[in-house]
Amino acid sequence: MSGRAVPRLKLLSQHLEPLSDLNTPFATERASLISTDIHPLPPSTRYFASTRHLKQEKEVPAKMSTQEPHPTLLIPGPIEFEDEVLKSMSHFSESHVGQPFVNCFGETLTQLRTLFQTTNPASQPFIISGSGTLGWDQVAANLIEAGEDALVLHTGYFADSFADCLETYGAKATQLKAPIGERPSLEEVEKALGEKKYKLLTVTHVDTSTGVLSDIKGISEVVHRVSPDTLVIVDGVCSVGSEEIRFDDWKLDVVLTASQKGIGCPAGLSILMASGRAIETFKARKSRPASYFASWKNWLPIMQNYEAKKPSYFATPSPQLVRALNTSLSQILSKPIEDYYAAHKAASQKVKAAVTALGLKQLASKPENQANGMTAIYLPEGMTPPTILPTLMKRGVIFAGGLHKEIATKYIRFGHMGVSVTNGSRGDIEKAIEALKDGLVEVGYKVPA
């Protein structure tokens, strides 16, 4: 074996080590879940714990779910899913250009119009296989050209990433940053828009790294008053479903999201709504989109044909995921959308009141900045995610570790979206609050009397 091959194999072996450190914002979260004391829950058992001991008991699966007993997933996405949604994922294999699937896809696109609250026929929904990140690529590839300016409002980790995506396609991204837990004021946004002509403005509705909620209506009003030619782009990956969005009334140009959070469908679909103005901006491009897969030149006729119930093809969609999305949207839209928002707001208030009662603070300290679908919680001084997350896991609850690179070791994230808040009989939120309290006590924290 050559001398050169040995170090290469040694380098490769580092990637095969099961507990190798990860140089990502998720490293603390991953490390906190690695423990010799924690084992996967077998199908017929569930763990129950007090603050002093852990016992294993036989349990009959809850009547409201046919799923095998498992730890309750309460991170800011993916979330817990309805039984009917998961059953839709088991639909038999079918042709992606067969009429039954085409009808389902077309109906699902139309459902998105109701979810986003747009009745304008010029608005265009997109459903493309991929993660929410693909929405960034769609914006960067289709709505801005190399050398043009974008204003990125920064409330956390995902603004950095969106800016990086825009710059990858040659755009010039200017970030307007707020302190951790805050959001840029409308006055700051107005000042920035007055200093330069921007092709588009991006804002993260709820930044998953901080739980900060942005004022989309207020921002859009400022843009249309101060810089009316600037497109208003909303990253709604962690907000669509759990936060109010009025696409037409607020004069938005793009809202991009993903399937696995407030919409309540397994991960794998990039979902986007574009305004007629955004579509016209795309059609007026001087250069070709710098992406093939994300190009609306390829996808626009496909989406229009599917919604018209006509078979069409550019790239193969996932029939099972689209059917699951159709099921989830049918459930959400079976009642007024305001009811869905109200359920998330009520659950959020309960969680945030419990956090305060435990003597803990949120990253988003002001009520108007706090998201309804998640809560980012500062840990007690000296405590880190790897200390508390395993105690929650023992109690059958999964939270997420910190994600913001500057404070990742100082906080955890509690996601409360979808079926966990709309089906109170599950008891997910109450169980999680109790687990958090007991877990903190177990690791030595004194809960205020």
Side-chain angles (χ1 to χ4, degrees):
M1 184 179 294
S2 70
R4 184 179 180 184
V6 173
R8 288 182 64 187
L9 287 174
K10 183 177 181 181
L11 180 63
L12 179 62
S13 70
Q14 294 177 3
H15 295 279
L16 300 178
E17 289 292 333
L19 301 183
S20 295
D21 290 336
L22 297 179
N23 185 26
T24 74
F26 301 95
T28 57
E29 179 180 342
R30 178 178 183 270
S32 69
L33 297 179
I34 299 172
S35 170
T36 57
D37 297 328
I38 301 172
H39 305 281
L41 297 179
S44 61
T45 61
R46 182 172 291 177
Y47 289 91
F48 297 87
S50 69
T51 58
R52 295 185 178 181
H53 66 280
L54 182 68
K55 64 180 180 179
Q56 191 179 43
E57 296 182 356
K58 295 287 183 179
E59 184 189 68
V60 177
K63 291 182 179 179
M64 72 278 187
S65 176
T66 59
Q67 300 168 37
E68 292 185 352
H70 61 277
T72 305
L73 187 61
L74 292 169
I75 65 176
I79 65 171
E80 289 286 323
F81 302 123
E82 291 271 13
D83 290 352
E84 291 77 8
V85 172
L86 295 182
K87 288 177 183 176
S88 296
M89 287 291 293
S90 299
H91 192 279
F92 57 79
S93 187
E94 61 184 329
S95 170
H96 56 289
V97 292
Q99 199 60 49
F101 173 69
V102 171
N103 291 343
C104 177
F105 202 141
E107 178 182 271
T108 307
L109 288 164
T110 300
Q111 287 175 320
L112 290 178
R113 295 180 181 275
T114 304
L115 180 69
F116 286 90
Q117 301 195 65
T118 175
T119 58
N120 189 334
S123 299
Q124 180 59 55
F126 292 82
I127 302 173
I128 303 175
S129 294
S131 72
T133 306
L134 180 59
W136 294 344
D137 283 86
Q138 290 185 65
V139 170
N142 296 291
L143 296 179
I144 193 165
E145 301 188 54
E148 293 182 327
D149 289 289
L151 179 61
V152 178
L153 305 190
H154 187 289
T155 56
Y157 172 86
F158 289 93
D160 288 326
S161 300
F162 203 162
D164 188 34
C165 179
L166 290 164
E167 290 172 344
T168 297
Y169 286 84
K172 295 185 290 185
T174 299
Q175 293 200 52
L176 180 58
K177 295 191 175 185
I180 295 174
E182 301 290 337
R183 62 192 190 190
S185 69
L186 296 182
E187 292 75 19
E188 290 172 326
V189 174
E190 180 171 348
K191 182 175 183 294
L193 289 171
E195 294 173 348
K196 185 187 295 186
K197 181 178 180 180
Y198 290 100
K199 182 67 171 290
L200 54 83
L201 171 148
T202 75
V203 53
T204 310
H205 197 179
V206 172
D207 195 293
T208 315
S209 72
T210 59
V212 170
L213 173 70
S214 292
D215 178 7
I216 302 302
K217 181 175 182 288
I219 290 168
S220 185
E221 288 174 349
V222 170
V223 173
H224 284 281
R225 175 169 53 83
V226 177
S227 184
D229 292 333
T230 299
L231 298 176
V232 181
I233 312 297
V234 179
D235 179 342
V237 170
C238 196
S239 71
V240 173
S242 58
E243 306 290 348
E244 181 181 22
I245 294 177
R246 298 186 179 277
F247 193 84
D248 287 353
D249 291 349
W250 296 352
K251 299 180 180 179
L252 307 178
D253 291 299
V254 167
V255 176
L256 63 95
T257 189
S259 52
Q260 75 275 12
K261 302 199 181 195
I263 291 178
C265 173
L269 295 176
S270 173
I271 298 166
L272 183 147
M273 184 66 70
S275 69
R277 186 169 77 144
I279 297 299
E280 291 306 313
T281 298
F282 159 69
K283 291 179 178 179
R285 288 182 63 89
K286 298 176 182 177
S287 60
R288 292 181 59 181
S291 169
Y292 185 68
F293 185 71
S295 172
W296 286 354
K297 178 182 178 182
N298 295 321
W299 283 116
L300 184 57
I302 304 300
M303 296 299 131
Q304 291 172 337
N305 284 342
Y306 267 127
E307 193 167 14
K309 310 294 177 63
K310 298 177 182 178
S312 195
Y313 175 76
F314 163 60
T316 306
S318 169
Q320 283 74 21
L321 274 172
V322 172
R323 286 197 175 273
L325 176 61
N326 180 273
T327 298
S328 183
L329 291 176
S330 296
Q331 292 176 336
I332 292 171
L333 300 176
S334 65
K335 298 179 181 179
I337 190 65
E338 288 76 14
D339 292 356
Y340 200 65
Y341 297 148
H344 284 83
K345 186 172 184 177
S348 178
Q349 291 174 341
K350 178 181 291 187
V351 169
K352 289 167 173 59
V355 168
T356 299
L358 289 172
L360 303 177
K361 296 181 179 180
Q362 298 178 54
L363 270 67
S365 58
K366 299 176 182 177
E368 63 270 24
N369 292 0
Q370 296 170 356
N372 288 308
M374 66 166 291
T375 304
I377 308 166
Y378 276 118
L379 293 171
E381 187 69 27
M383 189 181 297
T384 62
T387 302
I388 186 64
L389 293 184
T391 71
L392 299 178
M393 174 70 89
K394 288 192 299 184
R395 291 165 171 80
V397 173
I398 300 176
F399 281 8
L403 181 56
H404 196 293
K405 61 184 178 181
E406 295 180 26
I407 55 169
T409 61
K410 297 182 178 181
Y411 74 106
I412 57 176
R413 295 173 295 144
F414 180 170
H416 30 86
M417 290 177 264
V419 65
S420 290
V421 304
T422 60
N423 186 348
S425 64
R426 293 172 58 103
D428 290 354
I429 303 304
E430 293 76 13
K431 172 185 174 182
I433 291 171
E434 190 67 22
L436 178 59
K437 178 181 178 180
D438 291 347
L440 287 168
V441 171
E442 180 181 315
V443 297
Y445 176 69
K446 293 184 178 180
V447 176

